[in-house]
Amino acid sequence: MIGVIAESNLGRIRRTQSLSLTTVVVLTALPLSGMYGSAIVAVCSTALLLTSDTPLIARTFNTATIGICAIAGAAAYSIFGGYSPIPGSADAAALIVHVLIPLLIATVVQFGLNVLCLSGMLALAEHQSFWVTVREAVLNAWAPYPFYPVIALVLAVLWASAGLGAISILPIVAPLLIAQWSVALQAEENDAHLRTVETLVAAAQASQPMLHGRSAWVDAVSREIGLELRLSSSLMQSLQYAALLHDIGLVAPAAHTPGERLTGKELRWIKAHPQQGVRMLQGIDFLSDAIVAVGHHHERWDGNGYPSGLEGDQIPILARILAVADAYCALMAADPDVSGEHLDAVAERSLDALRPLAHQQFDAEAVEALVRAHPRAVESLRVLIARQPPQPVPGVDPHLPWVSAMFASARSQP
């Protein structure tokens, strides 16, 4: 049951939201009809907007959550002196003090309670850290919320004070409906893209055991680095795709030898996998930025990487982030204590191994971003490791920093 509810709400909590008609209507109802009227509007509007293919238990959970959030927001609105209804004599100062400010507070309460409910459900269903899920939800969804109280104030004033009644809804609700429809289409497209990527990852993992679970590690770590570097939402999406697919070129089998040595065949296999990944992904339009990162995630800051020998800022930003995350995860996976009680110590050792390589193998800003985000990255990895311990890598893990150093040494020789 929890899984059904969480699956239904996964898109709501993990996608950046645009203007929400439901939220605006609920807030508008506060100064017009008070606490109970707002709760009734919330439940009715949510029930109407839910699609018919949503499971009944998920619809019940969503409706109850929105109703509880509406009541909590209405209580906050009342406690902080919100008008209900708005008196006809209210001037601009009174509207700000007794409508706009209480609406802002009510919005914060509703948003916070909604995030906590949905994050708790997802944490239970997916065995994730509750606070990591809360943080992801807040980062993805907070941006449009400051606009909701302003729109609700305009609607309420036009409805009540200006005496326009229901006609006041038309010039504002029409754009909101268009925005809601546009967001729904974009959400469906994003879901389809992610399902495509996950299918490709599953196919790669089936043919190459060393990839089992590793792409999820790199995704979690690179995401934290990207957030620290304040990447745009579109780049963050491309970074996720690139992290999940960066080693898809390794699906071609290679004969591994034991110990820390590589045969000529393995060397060619390792050096070819970035461009092999590019060839496999070419023609998938929504992966255009991710494909660039896949093709260059083994470049080095000093210019001695492969396949193109790019140097410094010539290396695409997503590829620089992937290089740090990939090497860090390889160091973590290579440590025999990674699945035990000493994960924090393993993480610190892995980070310490990367630090001296800044400005040499790695972009120093990306390394520093990982240092700042390290506690969050470790928490995310802890959950992933508990869910699926790392698979032993036969022979040599090509992502370890010493492998890159070996290629760099060979490249720099005259």
Side-chain angles (χ1 to χ4, degrees), residues 2-22:
I2 290 175
V4 171
I5 297 173
E7 183 178 356
S8 174
N9 287 288
L10 193 58
R12 290 181 59 198
I13 199 169
R14 290 192 171 170
R15 288 191 296 262
T16 301
Q17 303 296 307
S18 183
L19 291 174
S20 168
L21 179 60
T22 303

Side-chain angles (χ1 to χ4, degrees), residues 126-129 378-387:
E126 300 191 345
H127 307 290
Q128 296 182 356
S129 165
V378 173
E379 184 63 24
S380 297
L381 289 177
R382 191 188 311 278
V383 174
L384 293 173
I385 291 169
R387 187 185 304 169

Side-chain angles (χ1 to χ4, degrees), residues 8-364:
S8 174
N9 287 288
L10 193 58
R12 290 181 59 198
I13 199 169
R14 290 192 171 170
R15 288 191 296 262
T16 301
Q17 303 296 307
S18 183
L19 291 174
S20 168
L21 179 60
T22 303
T23 305
V24 172
V25 169
V26 170
L27 288 174
T28 304
L30 282 174
L32 294 177
S33 56
M35 176 186 297
Y36 298 109
S38 175
I40 292 172
V41 168
V43 171
C44 292
S45 60
T46 302
L48 288 173
L49 288 174
L50 288 172
T51 59
S52 59
D53 58 348
T54 304
L56 177 61
I57 185 65
R59 278 184 283 174
T60 303
F61 173 80
N62 289 338
T63 302
T65 299
I66 296 299
I68 292 170
C69 292
I71 292 174
Y77 179 82
S78 177
I79 290 171
F80 285 89
Y83 283 151
S84 183
I86 300 175
S89 59
D91 57 15
L95 290 175
I96 292 174
V97 173
H98 293 287
V99 180
L100 181 58
I101 293 177
L103 281 175
L104 284 168
I105 296 170
T107 302
V108 171
V109 170
Q110 290 181 0
F111 175 71
L113 190 56
N114 194 35
V115 163
L116 291 176
C117 290
L118 294 178
S119 298
M121 189 57 63
L122 282 174
L124 286 173
E126 300 191 345
H127 307 290
Q128 296 182 356
S129 165
F130 173 72
W131 293 113
V132 169
T133 309
V134 167
R135 175 176 169 272
E136 184 176 352
V138 171
L139 288 173
N140 283 340
W142 75 269
Y145 273 80
F147 299 100
Y148 295 159
V150 177
I151 297 173
L153 171 64
V154 173
L155 270 175
V157 170
L158 290 176
W159 184 300
S161 299
L164 294 181
I167 297 176
S168 62
I169 295 178
L170 297 178
I172 295 180
V173 167
L176 287 176
L177 286 171
I178 294 173
Q180 188 97 341
W181 175 72
S182 176
V183 168
L185 288 180
Q186 185 62 48
E188 290 178 4
E189 184 177 356
N190 289 342
D191 285 344
H193 290 171
L194 189 56
R195 285 194 297 270
T196 300
V197 170
E198 289 172 345
T199 300
L200 293 171
V201 172
Q205 291 179 348
S207 63
Q208 187 54 260
M210 80 160 59
L211 300 179
H212 280 208
R214 184 71 67 84
S215 60
W217 288 28
V218 177
D219 177 28
V221 175
S222 61
R223 172 177 171 76
E224 296 299 340
I225 298 174
L227 290 172
E228 284 293 330
L229 295 177
R230 301 182 182 278
L231 298 186
S232 66
S233 58
S234 61
L235 280 179
M236 288 295 293
Q237 185 70 77
S238 294
L239 179 61
Q240 180 187 24
Y241 296 152
L244 293 173
L245 295 168
H246 70 286
D247 276 339
I248 195 169
L250 290 174
V251 296
H256 292 284
T257 54
E260 291 193 354
R261 64 188 184 88
L262 292 166
T263 66
K265 181 179 179 181
E266 287 177 307
L267 291 174
R268 291 190 295 272
W269 173 67
I270 291 172
K271 291 196 71 172
H273 85 268
Q275 292 304 103
Q276 175 68 14
V278 169
R279 286 191 290 271
M280 293 173 67
L281 299 174
Q282 275 180 339
I284 306 178
D285 292 340
F286 74 89
L287 291 178
S288 56
D289 289 335
I291 289 172
V292 174
V294 169
H296 295 289
H297 73 280
H298 278 290
E299 305 286 357
R300 290 172 55 99
W301 188 260
D302 59 13
N304 290 318
Y306 62 90
S308 303
L310 300 182
E311 180 179 356
D313 290 335
Q314 295 176 342
I315 306 170
I317 180 63
L318 299 188
R320 285 180 261 157
I321 293 172
L322 282 182
V324 173
D326 202 14
Y328 172 79
C329 291
L331 289 165
M332 291 275 289
D335 197 303
D337 292 330
V338 69
S339 298
E341 301 176 354
H342 307 293
L343 177 61
D344 291 330
V346 172
E348 286 298 329
R349 289 197 293 268
S350 301
L351 188 62
D352 289 342
L354 290 187
R355 281 183 168 125
L357 300 177
H359 284 308
Q360 181 181 355
Q361 180 177 348
F362 304 117
D363 178 359

